Amino acid sequence: MTDLVAVWEVALSDGVHKIEFEHGTTSGKRVVYVDGKEEIRKEWMFKLVGKETFTVGASKTKATINIDAVSGFAYEYTLEINGKSLKKYMENRLKTTNTWVLTLGGTDYRVVLEKDTMDVWCNGQKLETAGEFVEDGTETHFSVGDHSCRIKAVSSGKRKEGIIHTLIVNDREIPEAVE
């Protein structure tokens, strides 16, 4: 990887993915790696600006690297996820998901709740869940290893805050992670 010009980390429901981009400005070569695996390789491109589109993660999320000339032989590389800039995508993701990172029995787990679908992901796998209505809201039950887990959804009572989601593992509340 001699022409490596950009590296991004993208947090999706199935995990954090590393995207690397090589751009040979003399040869026109373009190579995209996702999690170390080569996704795109183009040699001898005469047009040095443009875009490369590919997918990331288990849900095949659309990603595009934009290559723009800034001045002379300087280039700017920007990553878009689902048509939004990486910054906008991550800001939106903070509103639509909750993420918890925890260690159980010496194993690290990353649990993600997609609030719009109520899908629960753990270490890259979508989990089987069972939902139930309880007195003060809802609970979504699932297992991580041999540990029983539930995500409790309770109204905050405030319109701006909306619903508060709490992960409870073995009757212990897990604090939310900041990604």
Side-chain angles (χ1 to χ4, degrees):
M1 279 210 233
T2 52
D3 295 321
L4 187 67
V5 292
V7 178
W8 296 275
E9 289 202 342
V10 180
L12 300 176
S13 295
D14 68 335
V16 179
H17 299 279
K18 185 177 183 180
I19 298 170
E20 297 166 288
F21 183 56
E22 286 183 23
H23 188 216
T25 53
T26 50
S27 67
K29 176 181 79 171
R30 297 181 191 178
V31 186
V32 176
Y33 297 91
V34 177
D35 298 326
K37 183 177 164 282
E38 189 176 297
E39 292 294 321
I40 295 174
R41 174 176 289 271
K42 293 181 179 170
E43 305 281 350
W44 302 107
M45 301 272 299
F46 293 105
K47 194 171 179 208
L48 293 176
V49 295
K51 52 179 64 182
E52 293 299 334
T53 300
F54 52 99
T55 60
V56 181
S59 57
K60 301 268 183 236
T61 302
K62 182 182 162 201
T64 302
I65 296 173
N66 295 303
I67 307 151
D68 297 301
V70 187
S71 64
F73 291 101
Y75 296 90
E76 182 180 74
Y77 308 95
T78 53
L79 179 67
E80 291 179 359
I81 304 293
N82 279 343
K84 295 184 177 90
S85 72
L86 181 60
K87 184 178 187 290
K88 273 267 181 265
Y89 177 80
M90 296 314 283
E91 285 170 2
N92 189 49
R93 210 175 142 66
L94 283 173
K95 295 175 193 154
T96 59
T97 61
N98 287 75
T99 303
W100 297 271
V101 177
L102 59 148
T103 303
L104 296 172
T107 305
D108 291 336
Y109 295 98
R110 180 176 176 271
V111 176
V112 178
L113 168 69
E114 292 181 351
K115 293 187 224 177
D116 52 351
T117 59
M118 292 306 286
D119 286 341
V120 178
W121 292 75
C122 180
N123 291 4
Q125 302 294 313
K126 194 159 123 183
L127 301 179
E128 285 290 318
T129 61
E132 75 170 319
F133 291 100
V134 292
E135 194 175 311
D136 52 353
T138 63
E139 287 185 357
T140 303
H141 296 263
F142 57 97
S143 295
V144 170
D146 54 357
H147 301 275
S148 67
C149 309
R150 69 184 192 269
I151 295 174
K152 196 172 174 75
V154 180
S155 171
S156 64
K158 298 181 186 112
R159 252 181 91 123
K160 281 208 184 285
E161 282 178 41
I163 296 170
I164 297 169
H165 296 87
T166 309
L167 175 64
I168 300 161
V169 179
N170 300 334
D171 296 320
R172 201 178 94 236
E173 194 173 306
I174 307 297
E176 193 174 344
V178 179
E179 290 192 317

